[in-house]
Structure formats: C-alpha cells, structure tokens
Amino acid sequence: MNQTQISPSTSYRPLVTTWLTLVGLTIISVLLSQWLHGGAWLQLLVAAIVWLKGDLIARHFVETRIAHPFIRRVTHYFIAFTPVALVLTAFFGKEFARFASI
C-alpha cells in the first residue's frame, strides 16, 4: 500500500496567516455587535464565527489533520458544541436551560 504520511508544518507563514485571520474575525465580531446590537441574527453570526475560529485553531495550531481519526472527530464535535449551545440558548433559552439543568 502506498500511504503518504502528513508531517507537521515547519513554516511560520500558515500560522501567521491563521493568526491574522483570527484577529480579523475578532474585530469583525466586535463591529457586528456594535452594528447589530440586539439583532435577531447576531447570535447566528456569533455562532458561525466561534465555529470558524475553533476550526482554524484545531487545523493549524492543534494540527488535527494529522491526528488519529478518533481524536480528530472528538475535537470537531467539541468545537461544534459551543456554537450549537449558543444558538439553542439564544432561541430556546428557557427550554434549553430546563433541559440542561441538573
């Protein structure tokens, strides 16, 4: 079998680009909160930005693309949990709080 092994990146360029993207997304988040203060779609935009930032961090800094598939899946589920919880809390706050309480 011909298996190609993926090795960690040794270049700083993808890391700097990712870091600048994360900073840009943070600035966009702040601007969106000023423009859409209290808007109904703000929670969805925030959830999408949180998911995107988590995915960027996992791919470029944690390097999940070279991790074992089980670890990769667990990490992706963990990253997806927060945006889903944000959306559920925003739109179904009381019901979700009752469900999530112990």
Side-chain angles (χ1 to χ4, degrees), residues 60-74:
H60 294 281
F61 293 107
V62 181
E63 294 185 339
T64 55
R65 67 186 188 287
I66 62 172
H68 188 274
F70 174 76
I71 300 296
R72 188 179 320 124
R73 279 191 301 266
V74 169

Side-chain angles (χ1 to χ4, degrees), residues 24-44:
L25 286 170
T26 302
I27 292 170
I28 289 171
S29 298
V30 171
L31 293 175
L32 284 174
S33 71
Q34 295 297 319
W35 291 332
L36 301 175
H37 184 69
W41 293 97
L42 182 61
Q43 292 86 2
L44 293 175

Side-chain angles (χ1 to χ4, degrees), residues 2-3 8 12 14 22-23 28 32-35 39 46 48-50 54 66 68 77-79 83-84 93-94 96:
N2 186 8
Q3 293 181 347
Y12 286 117
L22 291 169
V23 170
I28 289 171
L32 284 174
S33 71
Q34 295 297 319
W35 291 332
V46 168
I49 290 172
V50 166
I66 62 172
H68 188 274
Y77 290 139
F78 180 76
I79 291 168
V84 168
K94 292 179 184 177
F96 185 63

